[in-house]
Amino acid sequence: VKVVMSGGQGSKTAEPYAYAKLATKGDVLPPFYVTNDFVKERDSSGNPTRIEVTLGRSPPPGQENANAFRADFHIGQKMKISKMHAILYWNADQEKFYIKSICKNAVKVDGHIYPGSPDGQQGQSAALVSRSKIEIADGVPIYFLLPSMLPANKPR
């Protein structure tokens, strides 16, 4: 991945350096940034080869620290949203982000349904481009956003 969100030190924006951003219209959910915290592996040059972010149901009020609700990005409290519903990941070979259901329920991207599977392992992946509209369990639409420009000094 050779892109970062505009922002960081000396920037006029409050956005952190990030590989991507998940956001809702009107900030119904707080923006979520895919930062270095979600890089799982790097190549010998330091470039990320594996980035993973899980999306899932928010814990009920008063249970914010419940271990069962361990998704990285909590997307709502509807029971149709699984506790661990989908994974957003970077495919270094194809240089694209993808999203895939990791439960029996589907994920909708730009109007197309990508089914999950009973075991959560065989869900169909959907390629994401900037401004892809992600819908999970009739919840609030989430937009996948990529940076619009590459700063001269990117972090590693």
Side-chain angles (χ1 to χ4, degrees), residues 64-115:
E64 286 79 10
N65 295 322
N67 288 335
F69 298 91
R70 62 187 191 281
D72 298 313
F73 183 37
H74 294 129
I75 57 174
Q77 293 182 339
K78 291 184 177 186
M79 292 305 290
K80 286 183 175 181
I81 302 171
S82 296
K83 292 175 186 171
M84 296 288 279
H85 197 107
I87 186 166
L88 181 142
Y89 64 94
W90 171 250
N91 181 314
D93 293 333
Q94 295 183 10
E95 295 189 350
K96 288 183 183 176
F97 277 99
Y98 288 82
I99 192 167
K100 175 175 112 167
S101 173
I102 54 173
C103 66
K104 65 182 180 179
N105 301 315
V107 172
K108 188 189 286 187
V109 176
D110 295 327
H112 300 284
I113 296 173
Y114 296 87

Side-chain angles (χ1 to χ4, degrees), residues 99-144:
I99 192 167
K100 175 175 112 167
S101 173
I102 54 173
C103 66
K104 65 182 180 179
N105 301 315
V107 172
K108 188 189 286 187
V109 176
D110 295 327
H112 300 284
I113 296 173
Y114 296 87
S117 67
D119 66 3
Q121 301 302 311
Q122 306 302 316
Q124 187 178 2
S125 295
L128 298 172
V129 296
S130 197
R131 299 186 182 167
S132 284
K133 181 180 177 183
I134 301 167
E135 297 174 87
I136 296 177
D138 303 322
V140 175
I142 300 165
Y143 293 89
F144 175 81

Side-chain angles (χ1 to χ4, degrees), residues 142-153:
I142 300 165
Y143 293 89
F144 175 81
L145 304 169
L146 289 171
S148 57
M149 56 190 218
L150 176 67
N153 298 320

Side-chain angles (χ1 to χ4, degrees), residues 1-3 18-20 32-42 47-54 72 87-92 96-98:
V1 179
K2 298 189 179 178
V3 295
Y19 299 100
F32 183 89
Y33 297 92
V34 181
T35 63
N36 277 326
D37 295 340
F38 301 100
V39 174
K40 307 296 183 196
E41 293 176 5
R42 294 180 182 274
N47 293 316
T49 56
R50 196 175 102 199
I51 300 172
E52 295 177 353
V53 173
T54 54
D72 298 313
I87 186 166
L88 181 142
Y89 64 94
W90 171 250
N91 181 314
K96 288 183 183 176
F97 277 99
Y98 288 82

